[in-house]
Protein backbone atom coordinates (compact mmCIF):
# COMPACT_ATOMS: atom_id res chain seq x y z
CA UNK A 1 0.00 0.00 0.00
CA UNK A 2 1.04 3.61 -0.38
CA UNK A 3 2.04 6.00 2.35
CA UNK A 4 1.97 9.74 1.83
CA UNK A 5 5.12 11.10 3.44
CA UNK A 6 5.92 14.78 3.27
CA UNK A 7 3.78 15.15 0.16
CA UNK A 8 5.49 12.31 -1.70
CA UNK A 9 4.03 8.86 -2.27
CA UNK A 10 6.24 5.91 -1.38
CA UNK A 11 5.58 2.21 -1.54
CA UNK A 12 5.02 0.66 1.86
CA UNK A 13 4.28 -2.87 2.95
CA UNK A 14 2.34 -4.32 5.83
CA UNK A 15 4.44 -6.23 8.29
CA UNK A 16 2.85 -9.61 8.87
CA UNK A 17 5.11 -12.41 7.68
CA UNK A 18 3.83 -15.24 5.52
CA UNK A 19 4.15 -18.75 6.90
CA UNK A 20 5.12 -21.83 4.91
CA UNK A 21 2.29 -23.92 3.52
CA UNK A 22 3.00 -27.01 5.59
CA UNK A 23 1.69 -27.56 9.09
CA UNK A 24 3.76 -25.86 11.77
CA UNK A 25 4.81 -28.20 14.60
CA UNK A 26 4.92 -25.17 16.89
CA UNK A 27 1.11 -25.28 16.91
CA UNK A 28 0.53 -29.04 17.05
CA UNK A 29 -0.13 -28.73 20.78
CA UNK A 30 -2.01 -25.91 22.44
CA UNK A 31 -0.23 -26.31 25.73
CA UNK A 32 3.45 -27.22 25.52
CA UNK A 33 5.52 -27.41 28.70
CA UNK A 34 5.99 -23.99 30.21
CA UNK A 35 9.44 -22.49 29.89
CA UNK A 36 9.61 -19.43 32.10
CA UNK A 37 11.99 -16.80 30.76
CA UNK A 38 14.42 -15.92 33.53
CA UNK A 39 16.74 -13.08 32.59
CA UNK A 40 19.64 -12.09 34.85
CA UNK A 41 19.60 -8.68 36.46
CA UNK A 42 21.78 -6.15 34.60
CA UNK A 43 25.14 -5.54 36.28
CA UNK A 44 25.97 -1.87 36.67
CA UNK A 45 29.66 -2.75 36.60
CA UNK A 46 29.45 -4.21 33.09
CA UNK A 47 26.82 -1.98 31.48
CA UNK A 48 26.36 1.73 31.03
CA UNK A 49 23.33 3.45 32.53
CA UNK A 50 21.82 3.73 29.05
CA UNK A 51 22.26 0.00 28.47
CA UNK A 52 20.77 -0.84 31.85
CA UNK A 53 17.74 1.30 31.03
CA UNK A 54 17.27 -0.50 27.71
CA UNK A 55 17.62 -3.94 29.31
CA UNK A 56 15.09 -3.12 32.02
CA UNK A 57 12.66 -1.67 29.49
CA UNK A 58 12.82 -4.90 27.48
CA UNK A 59 12.45 -7.16 30.51
CA UNK A 60 9.50 -5.21 31.89
CA UNK A 61 7.55 -5.02 28.62
CA UNK A 62 8.35 -8.29 26.88
CA UNK A 63 5.69 -10.27 28.85
CA UNK A 64 3.05 -7.93 27.39
CA UNK A 65 3.96 -8.79 23.77
CA UNK A 66 2.65 -11.92 22.06
CA UNK A 67 3.27 -13.82 18.84
CA UNK A 68 0.14 -14.23 16.70
CA UNK A 69 -0.35 -16.87 14.00
CA UNK A 70 -3.07 -16.65 11.39
CA UNK A 71 -4.34 -20.18 10.71
CA UNK A 72 -6.21 -20.95 7.48
CA UNK A 73 -8.13 -24.04 6.42
CA UNK A 74 -6.79 -25.69 3.28
CA UNK A 75 -8.39 -28.57 1.41
CA UNK A 76 -6.22 -31.25 -0.13
CA UNK A 77 -6.98 -31.42 -3.84
CA UNK A 78 -6.61 -35.20 -3.93
CA UNK A 79 -8.07 -36.47 -0.68
CA UNK A 80 -10.44 -33.48 -0.19
CA UNK A 81 -9.45 -33.52 3.49
CA UNK A 82 -9.26 -30.18 5.28
CA UNK A 83 -6.32 -29.20 7.43
CA UNK A 84 -5.30 -26.10 9.33
CA UNK A 85 -2.20 -24.39 7.94
CA UNK A 86 -0.42 -21.25 9.21
CA UNK A 87 -0.71 -18.54 6.56
CA UNK A 88 0.91 -15.64 8.38
CA UNK A 89 2.45 -14.40 11.61
CA UNK A 90 2.55 -11.10 13.41
CA UNK A 91 2.68 -9.48 16.82
CA UNK A 92 0.23 -8.17 19.38
CA UNK A 93 0.09 -7.03 22.99
CA UNK A 94 -2.15 -7.20 26.05
CA UNK A 95 -4.34 -4.12 26.31
CA UNK A 96 -5.81 -4.81 29.76
CA UNK A 97 -5.94 -7.41 32.52
CA UNK A 98 -8.91 -9.22 30.97
CA UNK A 99 -6.93 -10.99 28.26
CA UNK A 100 -7.74 -8.56 25.44
CA UNK A 101 -5.04 -8.43 22.76
CA UNK A 102 -4.61 -5.58 20.27
CA UNK A 103 -2.97 -6.15 16.91
CA UNK A 104 -3.23 -5.02 13.29
CA UNK A 105 -6.29 -6.11 11.36
CA UNK A 106 -4.18 -7.36 8.45
CA UNK A 107 -2.40 -9.79 10.81
CA UNK A 108 -5.60 -11.78 11.43
CA UNK A 109 -7.49 -11.04 8.20
CA UNK A 110 -9.06 -14.17 6.71
CA UNK A 111 -8.10 -16.38 9.66
CA UNK A 112 -10.09 -19.54 10.34
CA UNK A 113 -8.27 -19.87 13.66
CA UNK A 114 -5.92 -17.65 15.64
CA UNK A 115 -3.11 -18.92 17.85
CA UNK A 116 -1.27 -16.79 20.39
CA UNK A 117 2.14 -17.64 21.87
CA UNK A 118 3.03 -16.01 25.19
CA UNK A 119 6.41 -15.20 26.69
CA UNK A 120 6.48 -18.56 28.51
CA UNK A 121 6.08 -20.35 25.15
CA UNK A 122 2.57 -21.54 25.99
CA UNK A 123 0.18 -21.37 23.02
CA UNK A 124 -3.52 -20.55 23.25
CA UNK A 125 -6.42 -19.91 20.92
CA UNK A 126 -7.93 -16.47 20.57
CA UNK A 127 -11.19 -15.24 19.12
CA UNK A 128 -11.78 -12.02 17.23
CA UNK A 129 -13.93 -9.54 19.16
CA UNK A 130 -13.95 -6.96 16.40
CA UNK A 131 -11.80 -4.84 14.16
CA UNK A 132 -11.57 -1.83 11.91
CA UNK A 133 -9.96 -2.56 8.52
CA UNK A 134 -9.88 1.15 7.65
CA UNK A 135 -7.64 1.90 10.63
CA UNK A 136 -5.95 -1.53 10.64
CA UNK A 137 -6.88 -2.34 14.25
CA UNK A 138 -8.23 -5.61 15.67
CA UNK A 139 -9.01 -6.76 19.21
CA UNK A 140 -8.78 -10.42 20.26
CA UNK A 141 -9.82 -12.31 23.37
CA UNK A 142 -7.34 -14.84 24.70
CA UNK A 143 -9.11 -18.13 25.49
CA UNK A 144 -7.45 -19.63 28.55
CA UNK A 145 -8.06 -20.34 32.21
CA UNK A 146 -8.87 -17.47 34.55
CA UNK A 147 -5.73 -18.24 36.54
CA UNK A 148 -3.64 -17.69 33.41
CA UNK A 149 -5.32 -14.38 32.58
CA UNK A 150 -4.54 -13.18 36.09
CA UNK A 151 -0.83 -13.68 35.34
CA UNK A 152 -0.88 -11.53 32.21
CA UNK A 153 0.71 -8.11 32.16
CA UNK A 154 -0.98 -5.36 30.10
CA UNK A 155 1.13 -2.74 28.38
CA UNK A 156 1.42 0.74 29.92
CA UNK A 157 -0.28 3.34 27.74
CA UNK A 158 1.43 6.60 26.87
CA UNK A 159 0.59 9.56 24.62
CA UNK A 160 1.44 10.26 21.00
CA UNK A 161 0.24 13.85 20.75
CA UNK A 162 3.33 15.27 22.46
CA UNK A 163 6.01 13.29 20.61
CA UNK A 164 9.08 15.16 19.42
CA UNK A 165 11.27 14.31 16.47
CA UNK A 166 14.55 12.98 17.82
CA UNK A 167 13.32 11.31 21.00
CA UNK A 168 14.23 7.67 21.53
CA UNK A 169 11.78 4.86 20.81
CA UNK A 170 11.91 1.08 21.17
CA UNK A 171 10.11 -1.56 19.09
CA UNK A 172 9.29 -5.05 20.41
CA UNK A 173 7.81 -7.67 18.12
CA UNK A 174 8.39 -10.91 16.25
CA UNK A 175 10.15 -10.10 12.97
CA UNK A 176 10.39 -13.11 10.66
CA UNK A 177 8.93 -15.20 13.48
CA UNK A 178 11.85 -14.42 15.83
CA UNK A 179 9.88 -13.94 19.01
CA UNK A 180 10.34 -10.94 21.29
CA UNK A 181 12.94 -8.98 19.38
CA UNK A 182 13.98 -5.51 20.55
CA UNK A 183 15.17 -2.71 18.27
CA UNK A 184 15.67 0.95 19.03
CA UNK A 185 15.73 4.20 17.16
CA UNK A 186 14.23 7.67 17.23
CA UNK A 187 11.05 9.40 16.19
CA UNK A 188 11.98 10.38 12.63
CA UNK A 189 8.78 12.23 11.85
CA UNK A 190 5.24 12.90 13.05
CA UNK A 191 1.99 13.74 11.32
CA UNK A 192 2.51 11.28 8.48
CA UNK A 193 -0.38 9.78 6.54
CA UNK A 194 -0.74 6.09 5.75
CA UNK A 195 -3.25 4.43 3.47
CA UNK A 196 -4.76 1.18 4.73
CA UNK A 197 -5.99 -1.98 2.97
CA UNK A 198 -9.61 -1.30 3.96
CA UNK A 199 -12.25 -1.22 1.24
CA UNK A 200 -12.82 2.52 1.66
CA UNK A 201 -9.12 3.40 1.48
CA UNK A 202 -9.42 5.81 4.40
CA UNK A 203 -5.98 7.10 5.41
CA UNK A 204 -4.63 6.90 8.96
CA UNK A 205 -3.49 10.36 10.03
CA UNK A 206 -0.79 11.51 12.45
CA UNK A 207 1.20 8.33 11.87
CA UNK A 208 4.57 8.09 13.61
CA UNK A 209 7.67 7.59 11.47
CA UNK A 210 10.66 5.84 13.06
CA UNK A 211 14.04 4.49 12.04
CA UNK A 212 13.86 1.65 14.57
CA UNK A 213 14.35 -1.56 12.60
CA UNK A 214 10.90 -2.94 11.71
CA UNK A 215 10.43 -5.98 9.50
CA UNK A 216 7.70 -8.43 8.41
CA UNK A 217 6.34 -10.01 11.58
CA UNK A 218 6.53 -6.75 13.54
CA UNK A 219 2.96 -5.85 12.56
CA UNK A 220 0.87 -5.30 15.67
CA UNK A 221 3.92 -4.97 17.89
CA UNK A 222 4.59 -2.12 20.28
CA UNK A 223 6.49 1.12 19.80
CA UNK A 224 7.53 2.42 23.22
CA UNK A 225 8.99 5.64 24.54
CA UNK A 226 12.04 5.67 26.81
CA UNK A 227 9.78 5.16 29.84
CA UNK A 228 8.37 1.95 28.40
CA UNK A 229 4.96 3.44 27.59
CA UNK A 230 3.06 2.55 24.43
CA UNK A 231 3.07 5.37 21.88
CA UNK A 232 2.24 3.45 18.70
CA UNK A 233 1.52 0.13 16.99
CA UNK A 234 4.07 -0.87 14.36
CA UNK A 235 2.25 -1.34 11.08
CA UNK A 236 4.20 -0.78 7.87
CA UNK A 237 7.53 0.14 6.31
CA UNK A 238 8.53 2.13 3.28
CA UNK A 239 9.80 -0.41 0.77
CA UNK A 240 10.98 1.17 -2.49
CA UNK A 241 12.83 -2.04 -3.44
CA UNK A 242 9.81 -4.32 -3.00
CA UNK A 243 11.84 -6.82 -0.96
CA UNK A 244 9.79 -6.46 2.21
CA UNK A 245 12.77 -5.67 4.46
CA UNK A 246 13.50 -2.73 6.74
CA UNK A 247 14.61 0.41 4.93
CA UNK A 248 14.94 2.53 8.05
CA UNK A 249 11.56 4.12 7.44
CA UNK A 250 8.86 2.49 9.54
CA UNK A 251 5.36 3.63 10.46
CA UNK A 252 3.32 3.17 13.62
CA UNK A 253 -0.34 3.95 14.31
CA UNK A 254 -0.43 6.57 17.12
CA UNK A 255 -1.76 5.33 20.45
CA UNK A 256 -4.06 8.35 20.81
CA UNK A 257 -5.99 7.11 17.77
CA UNK A 258 -5.92 3.51 18.97
CA UNK A 259 -7.49 4.22 22.37
CA UNK A 260 -10.85 5.35 21.02
CA UNK A 261 -11.01 2.54 18.45
CA UNK A 262 -10.26 -0.18 21.00
CA UNK A 263 -12.76 1.25 23.50
CA UNK A 264 -15.52 1.13 20.86
CA UNK A 265 -14.64 -2.40 19.76
CA UNK A 266 -14.71 -3.64 23.34
CA UNK A 267 -18.08 -1.94 23.94
CA UNK A 268 -19.88 -2.49 20.62
CA UNK A 269 -17.83 -5.15 18.82
CA UNK A 270 -17.07 -2.68 16.04
CA UNK A 271 -16.14 0.95 15.42
CA UNK A 272 -19.12 3.29 15.14
CA UNK A 273 -18.57 6.51 13.22
CA UNK A 274 -20.93 9.50 13.08
CA UNK A 275 -22.55 10.08 9.67
CA UNK A 276 -24.88 12.71 8.22
CA UNK A 277 -26.48 10.31 5.78
CA UNK A 278 -26.56 12.62 2.76
CA UNK A 279 -25.39 12.56 -0.83
CA UNK A 280 -24.09 15.91 -2.09
CA UNK A 281 -23.60 17.36 -5.55
CA UNK A 282 -20.07 17.88 -6.91
CA UNK A 283 -18.63 21.36 -6.26
CA UNK A 284 -18.59 22.16 -9.98
CA UNK A 285 -22.37 21.62 -10.14
CA UNK A 286 -22.90 24.05 -7.27
CA UNK A 287 -20.68 26.64 -9.00
CA UNK A 288 -22.58 26.16 -12.27
CA UNK A 289 -25.84 26.93 -10.48
CA UNK A 290 -24.30 30.05 -8.94
CA UNK A 291 -24.90 28.85 -5.42
CA UNK A 292 -22.87 28.94 -2.25
CA UNK A 293 -22.71 26.04 0.20
CA UNK A 294 -23.61 22.40 -0.27
CA UNK A 295 -26.32 21.07 -2.58
CA UNK A 296 -27.96 18.01 -0.99
CA UNK A 297 -28.98 15.50 -3.64
CA UNK A 298 -30.40 12.86 -1.34
CA UNK A 299 -31.23 12.42 2.34
CA UNK A 300 -32.56 8.85 2.64
CA UNK A 301 -35.47 8.17 4.94
CA UNK A 302 -34.28 7.25 8.42
CA UNK A 303 -30.86 8.88 8.05
CA UNK A 304 -29.71 11.39 10.71
CA UNK A 305 -30.01 14.23 8.17
CA UNK A 306 -33.55 13.21 7.21
CA UNK A 307 -34.56 13.00 10.86
CA UNK A 308 -33.20 16.54 11.34
CA UNK A 309 -35.49 17.83 8.55
CA UNK A 310 -33.00 18.02 5.67
CA UNK A 311 -34.53 17.15 2.30
CA UNK A 312 -32.84 16.12 -0.88
CA UNK A 313 -32.99 17.86 -4.25
CA UNK A 314 -35.85 17.03 -6.60
CA UNK A 315 -36.95 18.18 -10.05
CA UNK A 316 -40.27 19.71 -10.99
CA UNK A 317 -41.65 20.75 -14.36
CA UNK A 318 -43.87 23.83 -13.88
CA UNK A 319 -44.83 24.15 -17.58
CA UNK A 320 -45.83 21.43 -20.09
CA UNK A 321 -43.02 22.32 -22.51
CA UNK A 322 -40.31 22.87 -19.89
CA UNK A 323 -37.48 20.31 -20.09
CA UNK A 324 -37.18 18.01 -17.07
CA UNK A 325 -33.79 19.47 -16.17
CA UNK A 326 -34.87 23.10 -16.32
CA UNK A 327 -35.71 23.55 -12.66
CA UNK A 328 -34.12 22.22 -9.50
CA UNK A 329 -35.46 22.65 -5.98
CA UNK A 330 -32.71 22.82 -3.40
CA UNK A 331 -33.18 21.63 0.19
CA UNK A 332 -34.08 25.09 1.54
CA UNK A 333 -37.04 25.42 -0.84
CA UNK A 334 -35.41 27.83 -3.34
CA UNK A 335 -36.04 27.20 -7.02
CA UNK A 336 -33.04 27.26 -9.35
CA UNK A 337 -33.56 27.68 -13.12
CA UNK A 338 -30.66 25.91 -14.77
CA UNK A 339 -31.00 27.64 -18.15
CA UNK A 340 -30.34 31.14 -16.82
CA UNK A 341 -28.80 30.12 -13.48
CA UNK A 342 -31.26 32.34 -11.63
CA UNK A 343 -32.81 31.68 -8.25
CA UNK A 344 -36.55 32.28 -7.60
Amino acid sequence: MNAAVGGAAVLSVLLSVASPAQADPFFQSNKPPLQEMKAPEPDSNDLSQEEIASVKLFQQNTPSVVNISNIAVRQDRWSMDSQKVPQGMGSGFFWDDKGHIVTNFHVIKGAADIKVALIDQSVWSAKLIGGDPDKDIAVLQLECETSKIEELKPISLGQSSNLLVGQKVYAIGNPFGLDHTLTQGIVSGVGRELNTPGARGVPIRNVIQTDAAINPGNSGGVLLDSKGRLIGINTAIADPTGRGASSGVGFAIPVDSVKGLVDQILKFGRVIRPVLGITIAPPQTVRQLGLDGVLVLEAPSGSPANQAGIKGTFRQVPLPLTPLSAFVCVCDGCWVQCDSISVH
Side-chain angles (χ1 to χ4, degrees):
M1 66 185 183
N2 292 330
V5 181
V10 299
L11 180 65
S12 63
V13 295
L14 302 177
L15 298 175
S16 57
V17 59
S19 295
Q22 68 272 14
D24 190 341
F26 181 69
F27 293 102
Q28 289 178 356
S29 172
N30 280 350
K31 299 179 181 179
L34 299 183
Q35 299 176 5
E36 191 70 28
M37 188 187 77
K38 296 181 180 180
E41 288 294 323
D43 189 345
S44 59
N45 295 323
D46 297 330
L47 305 176
S48 67
Q49 291 302 313
E50 182 178 358
E51 289 174 321
I52 292 175
S54 298
V55 171
K56 288 184 176 180
L57 180 145
F58 177 73
Q59 292 177 349
Q60 292 170 0
N61 290 280
T62 298
S64 304
V65 181
V66 300
N67 191 338
I68 299 175
S69 280
N70 182 326
I71 310 297
V73 175
R74 297 283 187 266
Q75 191 173 50
D76 188 275
R77 66 174 62 183
W78 304 111
S79 65
M80 303 302 291
D81 292 335
S82 297
Q83 62 177 346
K84 292 185 176 181
V85 178
Q87 67 175 352
M89 300 183 73
S91 306
F93 57 92
F94 289 113
W95 181 260
D96 54 27
D97 58 3
K98 298 178 176 62
H100 294 131
I101 299 171
V102 175
T103 185
N104 287 138
F105 186 86
H106 73 263
V107 171
I108 51 85
K109 182 179 179 180
D113 192 13
I114 302 171
K115 297 295 184 182
V116 175
L118 308 184
I119 185 63
D120 60 10
Q121 301 301 309
S122 62
V123 181
W124 307 85
S125 293
K127 67 177 181 180
L128 176 65
I129 295 179
D132 184 6
D134 289 333
K135 299 302 180 183
D136 204 14
I137 294 295
V139 180
L140 312 176
Q141 173 66 62
L142 188 70
E143 297 183 319
C144 62
E145 296 95 345
T146 303
S147 59
K148 188 65 180 179
I149 291 182
E150 293 174 350
E151 299 174 3
L152 305 178
K153 180 182 179 182
I155 203 75
S156 297
L157 301 182
Q159 289 185 320
S160 54
S161 59
N162 57 358
L163 293 178
L164 299 175
V165 174
Q167 73 177 79
K168 286 188 176 182
V169 292
Y170 299 82
I172 302 178
N174 307 289
F176 305 111
L178 301 172
D179 64 296
H180 300 94
T181 298
L182 172 70
T183 58
Q184 73 173 44
I186 61 170
V187 174
S188 303
V190 294
R192 304 306 194 202
E193 188 172 289
L194 188 68
N195 291 335
T196 61
R200 299 194 304 153
V202 179
I204 305 174
R205 304 186 188 279
N206 297 318
V207 171
I208 305 165
Q209 178 186 335
T210 180
D211 67 347
I214 298 175
N215 288 284
N218 272 114
S219 271
V222 298
L223 188 68
L224 309 173
D225 62 14
S226 58
K227 300 294 185 181
R229 298 169 298 199
L230 179 72
I231 58 172
I233 301 178
N234 300 318
T235 300
I237 56 174
D239 185 22
T241 65
R243 297 178 180 177
S246 175
S247 61
V249 181
F251 302 102
I253 303 173
V255 69
D256 290 352
S257 299
V258 174
K259 291 176 182 176
L261 299 174
V262 172
D263 289 345
Q264 288 196 56
I265 292 173
L266 291 177
K267 185 175 182 179
F268 305 109
R270 61 190 179 94
V271 174
I272 300 176
R273 294 187 173 87
V275 294
L276 286 176
I278 62 174
T279 302
I280 63 175
Q284 57 268 29
T285 301
V286 178
R287 290 195 298 268
Q288 182 182 4
L289 296 174
L291 299 176
D292 293 325
V294 176
L295 178 61
V296 179
L297 297 179
E298 184 181 10
S301 177
S303 67
N306 178 262
Q307 294 175 0
I310 297 177
K311 297 180 180 180
T313 300
F314 64 92
R315 297 173 180 176
Q316 179 168 319
V317 182
L319 298 174
L321 299 179
T322 304
L324 183 63
S325 61
F327 293 88
V328 177
C329 180
V330 298
C331 61
D332 61 358
C334 295
W335 294 94
V336 180
Q337 184 175 344
C338 296
D339 292 338
S340 60
I341 316 299
S342 60
V343 179
H344 302 280

